[in-house]
Amino acid sequence: MTPSLSTKEHRMLAAGAMLVLFSSIGVRALIDFSTILIPKINGAYYLVQVRSLVQTGHLAFSDLPLLFWMEALFAKVLSLISGMSLDESVLFASKFV
């Protein structure tokens, strides 16, 4: 039988988990936004899929669409609100989401 954790130990565990979470988000953001394009082996694929969704409403290649729909919606809203070009908003949305 394992002893239960005290409230202080729960708080320390939660603080450690939050530290790991925010550190990994920060590292990921540094990597994604440190280059002009998406720094992944298939980074251009995301740009093609999102741009196709924004322009035609359909994916260019058959794939699971949830992530691409989220990126396309964010890109469309971003271009309408900020006045960014479609290329800039698709690139930013693909990096951010």
Side-chain angles (χ1 to χ4, degrees), residues 7-64:
T7 304
K8 183 178 180 179
E9 290 169 330
H10 276 288
R11 287 184 183 152
M12 292 295 288
L13 187 61
M18 295 300 282
L19 179 66
V20 168
L21 174 70
F22 288 119
S23 296
S24 61
I25 289 171
V27 168
R28 175 68 188 263
L30 281 173
I31 291 169
D32 280 350
F33 290 100
S34 66
T35 63
I36 295 172
L37 295 177
I38 300 174
K40 300 173 190 157
I41 195 164
N42 58 352
Y45 177 74
Y46 290 90
L47 301 176
V48 169
Q49 292 286 63
V50 172
R51 186 178 181 96
S52 177
L53 272 176
V54 171
Q55 289 181 330
T56 67
H58 301 287
L59 291 173
F61 305 101
S62 180
D63 201 349
L64 299 174

Side-chain angles (χ1 to χ4, degrees), residues 75-95:
K76 188 67 171 178
V77 169
L78 191 62
S79 69
L80 291 174
I81 291 175
S82 70
M84 287 176 136
S85 71
L86 181 61
D87 290 338
E88 292 172 330
S89 64
V90 166
L91 181 62
F92 184 83
S94 293
K95 287 182 175 184

